[in-house]
């Protein structure tokens, strides 16, 4: 449940628990503040200490399905209101190859291109028609640098952020960071899509000189510079608008978002969290668990009145309202809900329109299935090499990274 620092949201959660129990007297909800921790999960599972319902990041469900650490809830899901209206992209991170479902989304996001609308205007670019391809990004980055002297594009390379974003960019070229081989997952990033992405970055850095000189920094450092007007474009999530405003005192009107550009494939990386059910849950507990997940997490996505009430409460807690996220349902269900939420929007909704339009047609690709953070860490070093050494060979750097990752993937499986 929400922390004590979000008083109104926490009370709303407890009120919802009470109403759920009143409507379902045979079900008892025991609220928990426990959060996902990869270091303690296995021990808690083995010790029978896990909650019946727990929330996990999208990096986890596929591995958990194979290890039988979460319950199959396909039958229970089919009985839910609007089950036929789900956007299958939102369910895919916890769906196996046979189409069985093992989790329901609670919050999901798609990586996007965040851009400075004011710098676009100064550079003679149309802020209402942002880049749709990586070639467009390169043209815009050069224009921003040439007209303003400000780096047109920035890329983080530390704290696994470089590898995370390189993964998303690889997806836009039809590639993946892992592939199945002889029944096991192995590295796949020394293939053409990742090489093409690195070559693009190398040319942006060394040929165009459109990325500035600071190449070893984290995602938070890039966002801080962006909010200060020192960066034209970077990859992030629409939700970074919150930090742009609250942490870095950025101008709301200069924040623009569009769908992640295409490198030939209309795709982006999807992240977020899913609610899953303990494999030890009885049939009755499993049914109750899915009923609660629907009541608390899904109803606000299809019930207009609940969605608007929650938006009003979040606005009262001074939380951002109106930032788009991955829709759980198709337009017929999601459209009226979004309209109701936006009545209480405290963000410049029009600035998010390019993202909403562009992301509707994208494939949402989950993060790597096995040891994702290890993969990202190895790719950080590749990004740093290519962006700090002009003579770095992307293929050679990727080969070294694959050699480092192979035993880590083997151990994880």
């Amino acid at each position: 449940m929400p922390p004590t620092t979000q008083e109104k949201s926490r009370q709303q959660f407890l009120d919802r628990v009470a109403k759920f129990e009143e409507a379902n007297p045979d079900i008892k909800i025991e609220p928990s503040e426990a959060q996902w921790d990869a270091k303690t999960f296995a021990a808690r599972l083995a010790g029978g200490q896990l909650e019946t319902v727990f929330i996990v990041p999208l990096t986890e469900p596929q591995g958990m399905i194979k290890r039988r650490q979460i319950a199959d809830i396909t039958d229970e899901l089919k009985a839910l209101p609007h089950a036929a209206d789900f956007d299958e992209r939102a369910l895919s991170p916890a769906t196996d190859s046979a189409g069985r479902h093992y989790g329901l989304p609670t919050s999901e996001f798609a990586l996007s291109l965040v851009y400075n609308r004011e710098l676009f205007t100064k550079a003679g670019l149309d802020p209402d028609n942002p880049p749709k391809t990586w070639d467009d990004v390169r043209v815009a980055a050069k224009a921003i640098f040439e007209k303003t002297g400000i780096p047109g594009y920035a890329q983080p390379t530390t704290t696994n952020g470089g590898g995370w974003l390189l993964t998303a960019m690889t997806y836009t070229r039809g590639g993946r960071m892992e592939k199945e081989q002889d029944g096991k997952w192995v590295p796949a990033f020394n293939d053409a899509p990742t090489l093409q992405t690195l070559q693009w970055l190398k040319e942006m850095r060394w040929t165009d000189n459109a990325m500035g000189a600071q190449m070893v920094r984290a995602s938070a450092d890039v966002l801080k510079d962006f909010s200060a007007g020192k960066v034209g474009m970077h990859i992030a999530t629409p939700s970074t608008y919150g930090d742009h405003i609250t942490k870095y005192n950025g101008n709301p009107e200069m924040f623009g978002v569009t769908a992640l550009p295409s490198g030939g494939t209309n795709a982006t990386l999807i992240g977020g969290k899913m609610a899953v059910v303990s494999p030890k849950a009885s049939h009755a507990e499993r049914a109750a668990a899915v009923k609660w997940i629907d009541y608390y997490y899904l109803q606000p996505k299809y019930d207009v009145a609940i969605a608007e009430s929650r938006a009003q409460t979040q606005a009262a807690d001074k939380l951002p309202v109106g930032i788009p996220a991955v829709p759980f349902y198709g337009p017929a269900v999601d459209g009226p809900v979004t309209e109701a939420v936006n009545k209480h929007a405290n963000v410049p909704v029009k600035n998010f329109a390019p993202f909403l339009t562009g992301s509707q047609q994208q494939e949402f690709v989950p993060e790597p299935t096995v040891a994702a953070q290890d993969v990202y860490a190895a790719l950080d070093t590749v990004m740093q090499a290519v962006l700090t050494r002009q003579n770095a060979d992307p293929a050679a750097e990727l080969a070294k990274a694959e050699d480092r990752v192979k035993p880590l993937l083997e151990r994880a499986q």
Side-chain angles (χ1 to χ4, degrees):
M1 61 181 168
T4 54
T5 53
Q6 297 176 11
E7 182 180 348
K8 292 185 182 296
S9 296
R10 185 183 179 93
Q11 187 57 52
Q12 185 186 57
F13 176 91
L14 294 174
D15 290 344
R16 294 275 286 161
V17 168
K19 289 181 180 178
F20 179 81
E21 291 180 336
E22 183 180 348
N24 301 274
D26 57 331
I27 300 175
K28 175 67 176 175
I29 300 294
E30 296 182 9
S32 171
E33 293 184 5
Q35 296 185 0
W36 163 261
D37 185 341
K39 295 178 181 179
T40 62
F41 171 76
R44 293 182 67 215
L45 177 67
Q49 299 174 337
L50 280 179
E51 297 81 7
T52 304
V53 176
F54 50 102
I55 310 298
V56 300
L58 297 195
T59 51
E60 304 307 316
Q62 289 300 319
M64 293 171 131
I65 291 169
K66 290 191 173 185
R67 296 188 295 270
R68 300 182 180 180
Q69 293 176 322
I70 49 180
D72 182 335
I73 58 171
T74 306
D75 295 338
E76 290 80 6
L77 184 154
K78 289 178 180 178
L80 294 179
H82 297 289
D85 297 314
F86 272 113
D87 186 327
E88 290 297 326
R89 298 178 301 171
L91 296 177
S92 63
T95 302
D96 68 11
S97 58
R100 304 292 294 181
H101 301 296
Y102 291 78
L104 288 162
T106 61
S107 63
E108 292 185 343
F109 62 81
L111 279 175
S112 59
L113 182 74
V114 174
Y115 63 99
N116 185 318
R117 293 175 58 88
E118 293 179 350
L119 287 180
F120 263 55
T121 299
K122 290 179 181 179
L125 304 166
D126 182 358
D128 293 324
N129 185 29
K132 294 179 175 61
T133 69
W134 293 116
D135 288 342
D136 294 342
V137 171
R138 187 175 178 184
V139 169
K142 288 174 67 175
I144 290 170
F145 179 70
E146 290 170 0
K147 296 291 179 63
T148 69
I150 293 171
Y153 179 82
Q155 188 95 2
T157 59
T158 67
T159 60
N160 295 8
W164 184 49
L165 299 187
L166 181 59
T167 296
M169 297 170 82
T170 294
Y171 291 170
T172 71
R173 297 181 187 272
R176 297 292 185 270
M177 289 310 187
E178 295 175 354
K179 60 187 174 185
E180 235 177 332
Q181 186 174 292
D182 298 327
K184 286 195 173 183
W185 292 96
V186 298
F189 42 78
N190 199 3
D191 291 342
T194 310
L195 283 168
Q196 290 166 0
T197 299
L198 286 171
Q199 187 60 40
W200 180 86
L201 284 166
K202 186 173 183 177
E203 291 171 0
M204 286 268 288
R205 167 71 170 99
W206 300 106
T207 303
D208 300 347
N209 193 31
M211 294 179 66
Q214 177 55 271
M215 296 295 128
V216 183
R217 53 182 170 172
S219 298
D221 301 322
V222 172
L223 177 58
K224 184 178 180 180
D225 281 352
F226 173 84
S227 298
K230 298 177 181 178
V231 166
M233 296 173 284
H234 68 115
I235 302 173
T237 66
S239 63
T240 54
Y241 174 89
D243 284 346
H244 170 73
I245 297 299
T246 59
K247 280 189 179 180
Y248 305 122
N249 199 30
N251 177 1
E253 293 301 326
M254 68 91 115
F255 192 97
V257 188
T258 189
L260 196 65
S262 171
T265 298
N266 202 12
T268 188
L269 182 149
I270 186 176
K273 297 179 180 180
M274 299 198 89
V276 295
V277 178
S278 169
K280 297 182 179 180
S282 66
H283 178 76
E285 288 172 333
R286 192 166 64 242
V290 171
K291 198 169 188 177
W292 163 252
I293 294 168
D294 172 69
Y295 179 82
Y296 186 72
Y297 294 105
L298 300 183
Q299 270 194 4
K301 301 295 185 179
Y302 64 73
D303 187 301
V304 172
I306 292 174
E308 183 169 0
S309 174
R310 184 169 292 191
Q312 194 169 11
T313 299
Q314 289 171 335
D317 274 339
K318 301 189 183 305
L319 299 173
V321 175
I323 297 175
V326 171
F328 294 176
Y329 298 94
V333 174
D334 183 66
V337 168
T338 299
E339 184 178 348
V341 168
N342 285 346
K343 291 179 184 177
H344 305 279
N346 51 18
V347 306
V349 174
K350 62 181 177 60
N351 292 7
F352 294 88
F355 170 80
L356 285 170
T357 302
S359 63
Q360 286 175 0
Q361 305 303 320
Q362 284 185 312
E363 176 187 3
F364 292 156
V365 185
E367 300 185 59
T369 301
V370 181
Q373 296 304 324
D374 292 323
V375 171
Y376 296 157
L379 292 172
D380 269 5
T381 63
V382 175
M383 295 282 278
Q384 291 168 21
V386 170
L387 295 177
T388 61
R389 300 201 319 267
Q390 191 167 0
N391 64 348
D393 178 3
E397 295 298 329
L398 284 171
K400 288 189 288 187
E402 281 202 348
D403 288 341
R404 287 196 297 273
V405 166
K406 282 177 184 176
L408 299 176
L409 294 189
E410 289 176 5
R411 204 158 41 236
Q413 297 175 82

